[in-house]
């Protein structure tokens, strides 16, 4: 794939300077003046690109790699062709992420619809009672309601709706088409296109005449440095708050129910659904397409495998998987047994034929 105009290569940074900035050790000091302009995967890296490897599975791709530098750890250094300078790092993936951010800082946040615009677009509506600090960008067709507060350096994308009384901190990016209401948002938060934050939760009382709606009068609290993916929905609390802890990263198409409390520095992958009043500890990782039952607790540092169904509490530090989710070793044993039984039935069926 050739570079396109959405994220073109930058003017470039010397390999020595890049290594210093990401904390990597350049093995060939003579290559320090090489210019790095972009990042690329090993199989198509060209001059001016930097790439990285994490395992020996990249060995064949390295034979045709033309990158200007490769990041790896000491154990994989011998795999790198002699003509490619090596940058050693204890965590190549983290160093590569840092390099990507330095080379393409514009790609770290949703791109503005009007990149040359400054201030408040005349095509936006800002309520006279809203309070915006200096250097806030409001793009066309955005609507900012009464008594809203937005901190310095934040950007409100085109077509976004910010409901009355919402507080948004400094350095935030709210991308095009998002809707924020009944929410208090910290600093340096990224909310991607089409996300919905603060709508009422799913609460009904069944009765003889059907389902009677329960009012949802809580808030959504989003702490500093959180990132929320496109088309994700986070319901406000019923009477208490829905809380997303500092540094947590939430993928696209995630549903978080009312009164859910998610801890700090969690990772929640696409299509996860977390039912109401669940508590998720710090540093929890939840794989894609998981369903989490309401009113359960997932302990600090737990990991949930993709496509699992969490029906009950998960202890801190445990790895769970399957439906219902259970300790990973038990889940893998059950899968192995099921596969063995299936193969046995197939063999018996074949003999009868």
């Amino acid at each position: 794939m050739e570079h396109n105009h959405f994220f073109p290569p930058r003017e470039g940074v010397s390999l020595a300077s890049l290594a210093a900035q990401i904390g990597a050790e350049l093995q060939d000091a003579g290559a320090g003046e090489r210019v790095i302009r972009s990042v690329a995967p090993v199989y198509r890296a060209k001059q001016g690109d930097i790439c990285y490897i994490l395992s020996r599975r990249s060995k064949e791709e390295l034979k045709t790699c033309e990158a200007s530098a490769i990041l790896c750890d000491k154990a994989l250094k011998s795999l790198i062709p002699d003509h490619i300078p090596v940058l050693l790092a204890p965590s190549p993936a983290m160093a590569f992420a840092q390099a990507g951010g330095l080379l393409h800082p514009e790609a770290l946040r949703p791109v503005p619809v009007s990149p040359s615009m400054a201030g408040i677009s005349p095509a936006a509506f800002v309520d006279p009672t809203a309070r915006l600090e200096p250097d806030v960008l409001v793009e066309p067709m955005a609507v900012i309601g009464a008594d809203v507060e937005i901190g310095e350096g934040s950007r409100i994308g085109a077509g976004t709706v910010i409901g009355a009384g919402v507080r948004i901190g400094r350095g935030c990016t709210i991308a095009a088409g998002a809707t924020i209401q009944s929410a208090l948002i910290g600093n340096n938060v990224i909310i991607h296109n089409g996300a919905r934050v603060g709508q009422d939760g799913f609460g009904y009382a069944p009765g003889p005449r059907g389902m009677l709606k329960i009012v949802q009068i809580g808030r959504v609290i989003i702490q500093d440095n959180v990132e929320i993916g496109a088309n994700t929905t986070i319901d406000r609390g019923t009477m208490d708050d829905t809380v997303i802890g500092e540094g947590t990263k939430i993928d696209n198409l995630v549903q978080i129910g009312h009164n859910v409390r998610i801890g700090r520095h969690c990772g929640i992958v696409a299509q996860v659904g977390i039912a109401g009043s669940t508590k998720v500890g710090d540093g929890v990782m939840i794989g894609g397409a998981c369903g989490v039952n309401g009113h359960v607790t997932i302990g600090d540092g737990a990991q949930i495998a993709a496509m699992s169904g969490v029906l009950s509490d998960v202890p801190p530090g445990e790895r769970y998987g399957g439906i219902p989710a259970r300790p990973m070793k038990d889940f893998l044993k059950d899968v192995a047994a099921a596969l063995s039984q299936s193969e046995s039935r197939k063999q018996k069926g074949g003999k009868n034929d």
Side-chain angles (χ1 to χ4, degrees):
M1 182 184 78
E2 296 298 322
H3 286 295
N4 59 47
H5 62 279
F6 296 112
F7 301 105
R10 59 171 291 173
E11 292 183 0
V13 59
S14 73
L15 186 54
S17 176
L18 183 64
Q21 291 180 74
I22 65 176
E25 180 185 347
L26 177 59
Q27 295 297 282
D28 180 5
E33 294 305 312
R34 287 197 179 196
V35 177
I36 306 298
R37 292 186 170 86
S38 189
V39 295
V42 173
Y43 75 92
R44 65 169 179 82
K46 304 294 184 183
Q47 287 295 312
D49 292 333
I50 186 170
C51 55
Y52 76 117
I53 61 171
L54 295 177
S55 73
R56 294 182 175 274
R57 286 180 292 183
S58 301
K59 185 175 181 179
E60 289 302 311
E61 293 178 342
L62 285 168
K63 292 178 180 178
T64 57
C65 182
E66 299 176 12
S68 290
I70 292 182
L71 274 159
C72 67
D73 62 23
K74 290 181 179 179
L76 299 176
K77 178 184 174 183
S78 62
L79 297 180
I80 309 302
D82 292 338
H83 66 282
I84 302 179
V86 176
L87 294 178
L88 292 184
S91 175
M94 183 170 290
F96 186 75
Q98 291 175 295
L102 290 167
L103 293 167
H104 295 283
E106 73 284 1
L108 292 174
R109 291 174 178 262
V111 177
V113 175
S114 308
S116 61
M117 202 190 97
I120 300 172
S121 167
F125 171 79
V126 179
D127 189 277
T129 63
R131 296 176 292 282
L132 279 59
E133 290 187 344
D135 194 32
V136 171
L137 172 65
V138 182
E139 295 194 77
M141 309 309 292
V143 177
I144 297 177
D147 197 35
V148 168
E149 294 182 5
I150 302 176
E152 183 176 5
S154 289
R155 177 167 62 83
I156 309 302
T160 289
V161 177
I162 309 297
V166 167
R167 305 289 187 262
I168 297 174
R170 293 171 176 164
C172 294
T173 299
I174 314 297
T179 302
I180 315 293
Q181 57 189 24
S182 302
L184 306 179
I185 297 174
N187 298 319
N188 197 38
V189 170
I190 300 173
I191 297 179
H192 286 265
N193 306 71
R196 307 293 182 224
V197 175
Q199 61 285 332
D200 64 346
F202 190 76
Y204 296 87
R209 296 186 179 181
M211 305 285 279
L212 184 64
K213 190 175 182 71
I214 298 172
V215 296
Q216 310 284 305
I217 60 171
R219 306 172 297 181
V220 175
I221 309 296
I222 298 175
Q223 297 179 359
D224 295 350
N225 302 309
V226 167
E227 185 162 358
I228 296 168
N231 294 322
T232 282
T233 60
I234 302 176
D235 296 342
R236 67 178 182 263
T238 303
M239 289 174 285
D240 293 322
D241 296 325
T242 301
V243 179
I244 312 298
E246 177 186 1
T248 284
K249 312 301 181 187
I250 301 173
D251 199 357
N252 306 329
L253 294 168
V254 171
Q255 161 64 31
I256 296 174
H258 55 195
N259 293 48
V260 169
R261 290 179 173 261
I262 296 175
R264 301 167 62 246
H265 304 297
C266 296
I268 300 174
V269 186
Q271 297 185 333
V272 166
I274 303 178
S277 298
T278 285
K279 292 181 173 59
V280 178
D282 296 338
V284 171
M285 301 294 160
I286 303 178
C290 284
V292 182
N293 197 20
H295 298 271
V296 304
T297 297
I298 300 177
D300 294 349
Q303 298 180 24
I304 313 298
M307 303 185 72
S308 297
V310 180
L311 303 183
S312 57
D313 292 353
V314 177
E318 291 290 331
R319 299 175 65 209
Y320 269 45
I323 302 175
R326 51 208 183 272
M328 187 61 70
K329 61 181 180 180
D330 297 335
F331 167 58
L332 294 176
K333 285 180 182 177
D334 292 343
V335 170
L339 290 173
S340 178
Q341 291 174 4
S342 175
E343 185 63 28
S344 178
R345 284 194 295 269
K346 287 179 181 179
Q347 292 175 357
K348 290 179 180 178
K351 289 179 181 178
N352 291 336
D353 292 342

